[in-house]
Amino acid sequence: MKPEILKSLKDQLSYDQDSGLFYWKVKKRGFGGGVDVGSIAGTPKEGYVKINCDQKQYRAHRLAWIFVHGEFPPSGYEIDHINGVRSDNRLCNLRLVTRSQNNMNMTSGHRGVSFRKDTKRWHARICIENETILLGNFDTKEDAISVRKEAEIKYFKHYSQRS
């Protein structure tokens, strides 16, 4: 991030590391009347808190990282919410991870199976030699888990998880 952009953001927003909240330092005019100084900045969208500033949208967890560390994560790293709650942007809940580590997060309790809020279906996938293979979308978690386990046996043979 360019230093002048970070300065502009810091001139307009403050970040509370303990609560994970951003607050407006300036009065903003806009659709719906705008916001007052001291108002909480950001709107939940897709689980993340997103903040519109200077005609650009930022995810709050990325801004939190930049506000504290002065730069985006190094190449090859992402910011992960430790507790899995995308709107919890407390500094103690944010950590650097690789894409591979971040992809290990599970919403089902089973690796490679997660619930898709947009389709309201269970999504099964498996990663083979850094390539993700979609195994399908299912109405039930059990069906997705079953297909994932079959794929583990097929692709990993004796290395597959059989639990």
Side-chain angles (χ1 to χ4, degrees), residues 53-105:
C53 194
D54 294 335
Q55 299 177 345
K56 187 165 171 35
Q57 189 174 77
Y58 299 91
R59 288 186 176 181
H61 66 286
R62 293 181 61 77
L63 283 183
W65 192 267
I66 294 166
F67 271 49
V68 172
H69 300 285
E71 60 188 9
F72 281 114
S75 179
Y77 287 87
E78 301 175 353
I79 302 164
D80 178 45
H81 292 87
I82 295 168
N83 67 6
V85 179
R86 294 174 171 177
S87 61
D88 183 352
N89 296 305
R90 294 173 296 136
L91 188 61
C92 67
N93 188 46
L94 303 177
R95 65 180 169 190
L96 280 182
V97 295
T98 64
R99 167 63 59 119
S100 178
Q101 290 168 326
N102 208 8
N103 286 340
M104 288 182 194
N105 291 335

Side-chain angles (χ1 to χ4, degrees), residues 75-142:
S75 179
Y77 287 87
E78 301 175 353
I79 302 164
D80 178 45
H81 292 87
I82 295 168
N83 67 6
V85 179
R86 294 174 171 177
S87 61
D88 183 352
N89 296 305
R90 294 173 296 136
L91 188 61
C92 67
N93 188 46
L94 303 177
R95 65 180 169 190
L96 280 182
V97 295
T98 64
R99 167 63 59 119
S100 178
Q101 290 168 326
N102 208 8
N103 286 340
M104 288 182 194
N105 291 335
M106 300 172 278
T107 60
S108 67
H110 296 273
R111 179 169 284 162
V113 175
S114 57
F115 186 73
R116 300 266 318 253
K117 291 179 184 176
D118 58 340
T119 63
K120 307 267 190 287
R121 299 185 79 203
W122 290 92
H123 181 80
R125 66 200 173 291
I126 194 165
C127 187
I128 308 297
E129 296 178 9
N130 293 324
E131 183 178 334
T132 300
I133 300 170
L134 174 64
L135 301 172
N137 294 297
F138 305 90
D139 292 327
T140 68
K141 179 168 82 170
E142 292 74 21

